[in-house]
Amino acid sequence: MSTLRRVTTEIHANGWRHALQVSVAHIHQLLTIDEVHTWYERAVDAGPALPAKGDQRLIEGTSDDFHLLEEFPTIDASKAQGRLDDGARWWVLLDHERPVYSVWTFVGQMPMVGAPHGILLLPPRVVFLEDSVTAPAARGAGFGFAGLDAVMNQLRSAEVDSVITKVKLGNRPAERFVGKHFRPFATVRIRRHGLSMRVSVAFTDDAQNRWVAAALEAH
């Protein structure tokens, strides 16, 4: 939801005073950040793509599929359209035609708080995976694993060497899920107060991902 729409909704629901308080809190949140993420990597294995199981199929979403976003607590249609316009790819796993898993992949660059000018530049043959989520009504049935495997199958034939993703520290369900498929290689802390931004990268092993520090710390 856009800031203007959020404010308008608050005005109609609770009046001007409450709307002003909410707006000030939102602005403070935008200007003050202190977040830590663990970054993970997974090599894209060579070999043939595996068929989907049963009545499952993976689709590449377009603007015609934005109604499916209602099943996933991530982004709205406006932000999704912006991602598609910038070259991101949206994948949705359907089970008996019901949307059960959604994820985005970025090549070349992607929007990211903490990166210079808000854009993280990606090396060739590296894909960033973002907003990996199982529909709340479909959780606990293994659809996240099936969806991720289906996306990896697609990437095997796309000249991709590795897939990168990140999880906010303390998000235990996401840490457990990603940890079963990816290996951690760095911890990234982003701090912003007003116009001042500080980014620190601590590598946890000798992975060949030193580009992350250069891409994020170049302020």
Side-chain angles (χ1 to χ4, degrees):
M1 181 183 292
S2 68
T3 301
L4 179 59
R5 184 178 176 186
R6 183 183 293 107
V7 172
T8 302
T9 300
E10 288 291 342
I11 291 173
H12 287 306
N14 301 302
W16 279 99
R17 179 171 296 180
H18 182 76
L20 180 59
Q21 292 172 341
V22 170
S23 298
V24 170
H26 180 64
I27 292 172
H28 181 267
Q29 183 180 19
L30 292 176
L31 295 177
T32 305
I33 294 175
D34 191 347
E35 295 183 350
V36 179
H37 289 83
T38 303
W39 285 46
Y40 297 82
E41 179 188 39
R42 173 176 170 174
V44 177
D45 301 326
L50 301 176
K53 298 180 181 179
D55 292 303
Q56 296 176 1
R57 66 186 181 99
L58 184 74
I59 65 170
E60 183 169 357
T62 69
S63 56
D64 293 334
D65 302 304
F66 281 168
H67 61 283
L68 301 180
L69 289 169
E70 298 176 2
E71 301 297 326
F72 305 103
T74 53
I75 62 175
D76 59 20
S78 176
K79 189 170 183 178
Q81 186 63 62
R83 287 183 175 182
L84 291 178
D85 291 343
D86 289 339
R89 304 177 75 179
W90 176 36
W91 307 96
V92 181
L93 181 69
L94 303 178
D95 179 72
H96 294 84
E97 299 306 304
R98 176 178 60 130
V100 293
Y101 175 78
S102 170
V103 70
W104 290 81
T105 55
F106 295 80
V107 177
Q109 65 179 37
M110 67 171 292
M112 181 174 293
V113 174
H117 310 294
I119 299 295
L120 177 70
L121 299 179
L122 301 171
R125 304 175 71 90
V126 172
V127 166
F128 205 105
L129 186 146
E130 185 80 339
D131 283 339
S132 170
V133 61
T134 300
R139 290 174 181 170
F143 292 127
F145 298 120
L148 182 59
D149 284 343
V151 172
M152 296 300 290
N153 286 338
Q154 292 291 325
L155 296 178
R156 285 191 179 96
S157 59
E159 297 186 345
V160 174
D161 289 336
S162 65
V163 177
I164 304 293
T165 192
K166 60 181 174 67
V167 176
K168 189 173 182 179
L169 190 65
N171 185 345
R172 301 305 182 193
E175 289 173 341
R176 287 194 295 269
F177 174 74
V178 173
K180 291 180 179 180
H181 295 270
F182 293 74
R183 64 178 184 84
F185 70 88
T187 300
V188 177
R189 183 180 184 184
I190 299 173
R191 286 168 286 180
R192 178 169 70 186
H193 184 72
L195 299 179
S196 175
M197 178 82 72
R198 294 183 62 188
V199 180
S200 58
V201 181
F203 290 95
T204 57
D205 61 17
D206 58 352
Q208 298 179 0
N209 287 304
R210 303 294 165 172
W211 62 269
V212 173
L216 290 175
E217 294 178 341
H219 287 279

